[in-house]
Amino acid sequence: NGARVRKVNGTSSGPVNWAALYSAANHDVIQQGGSRRGALMLMLHDWHPDVIEFIHVKEDLTKIPGANLSVCLSDQFMEAVKSDGDWTTKFPDHTDAEYDDLWDGDIEAWEAMGKPVKIYETYKARDIWKQICTAAWQSAEPGLHFLDRSNKWSNTWYFEKLLSTNPCGEQPLGAWAVCNLGAMNLSAFVDSQGQFDYDGLDKNVRVAMRFMDNVVDANFYFYEENERRSLEYRDWE
């Protein structure tokens, strides 16, 4: 927020203001088949200079009503919390000549290329952690996504980097990925004697998986990138 946008000689409004814009579009404009409003998850990394504002914005329940908010927490941040260490917020130096071409939101990739980073503030990691906990207690947000854990435990680690989750947090997703969710009612497989029908579960899960795979073909995709990514999951081994 406040960073200079050189091409138009202006300043950036920052991610919280953009979140409010997306929220308004999602809450007031987008309707899913007339049955409900759209669903939206917005996440911000723990290293971002505006993370403190992001943590507290929904303590005012009139702000950003059309989106869920979560902070992406890294293993490094949690280690700093554990050791009572410092935590710095940072952002790529946007005066770098290759910023427009190379910056894609991945701070680790940016630093790995030896690109310059601007340090903004230094906090105690535990102070940020306490602010997250307090805000979540007061307003139920922000949520937490332990992004490093998602990537290290993912069974798709070898072909994609997970970036966020779907709006309700059931499934971590990579770039342009689409959540295709199914659920089994496990209580339906318990008989009157309290025995679990594992064979029945096996049979029904196979049918459900076939059904969900058909959804990939039947779905209508607004963006080619979404369709390509959904179909690509079948091809990776």
Side-chain angles (χ1 to χ4, degrees), residues 11 27 40 53 63 66 78 113 135 171 173 185 224 226:
T11 57
H27 189 264
L40 180 63
E53 181 186 10
K63 295 183 177 180
M78 295 309 300
M113 292 185 290
Q171 180 182 355
L173 298 167
N185 179 10
E224 291 183 4
N226 291 137

Side-chain angles (χ1 to χ4, degrees), residues 38-191:
L40 180 63
M41 171 69 81
L42 300 174
M43 293 187 170
L44 196 68
H45 288 279
D46 53 21
W47 48 261
H48 197 284
D50 294 310
V51 68
I52 300 299
E53 181 186 10
F54 187 82
I55 289 168
H56 292 285
V57 63
K58 291 192 75 171
E59 290 176 359
D60 181 346
L61 298 180
T62 67
K63 295 183 177 180
I64 315 184
N68 296 332
L69 302 184
S70 286
V71 180
C72 291
L73 295 182
S74 60
D75 288 351
Q76 186 180 5
F77 175 84
M78 295 309 300
E79 287 296 329
V81 172
K82 182 178 179 180
S83 65
D84 196 21
D86 292 336
W87 186 255
T88 56
T89 57
K90 56 189 177 182
F91 202 81
D93 183 352
H94 52 79
T95 65
D96 184 90
E98 296 183 295
Y99 175 83
D100 288 348
D101 295 325
L102 298 181
W103 173 241
D104 62 357
D106 189 337
I107 195 72
E108 293 179 353
W110 179 265
E111 292 178 319
M113 292 185 290
K115 290 297 182 179
V117 170
K118 181 180 178 181
I119 302 298
Y120 282 79
E121 299 288 347
T122 299
Y123 304 92
K124 298 299 291 185
R126 287 185 182 178
D127 181 55
I128 298 177
W129 176 253
K130 290 178 181 178
Q131 291 185 56
I132 292 173
C133 294
T134 300
W137 170 73
Q138 290 181 333
S139 60
E141 292 196 71
L144 300 178
H145 183 191
F146 296 100
L147 190 56
D148 283 349
R149 296 291 90 198
S150 288
N151 277 284
K152 290 176 181 177
W153 293 347
S154 169
N155 61 1
T156 62
W157 59 268
Y158 56 94
F159 66 77
E160 70 172 346
K161 183 173 183 177
L162 301 176
L163 303 177
S164 182
T165 72
N166 66 317
C168 294
E170 299 101 332
Q171 180 182 355
L173 298 167
W176 296 104
V178 177
C179 65
N180 184 13
L181 305 175
M184 304 300 296
N185 179 10
L186 297 182
S187 65
F189 297 93
V190 181
D191 64 21

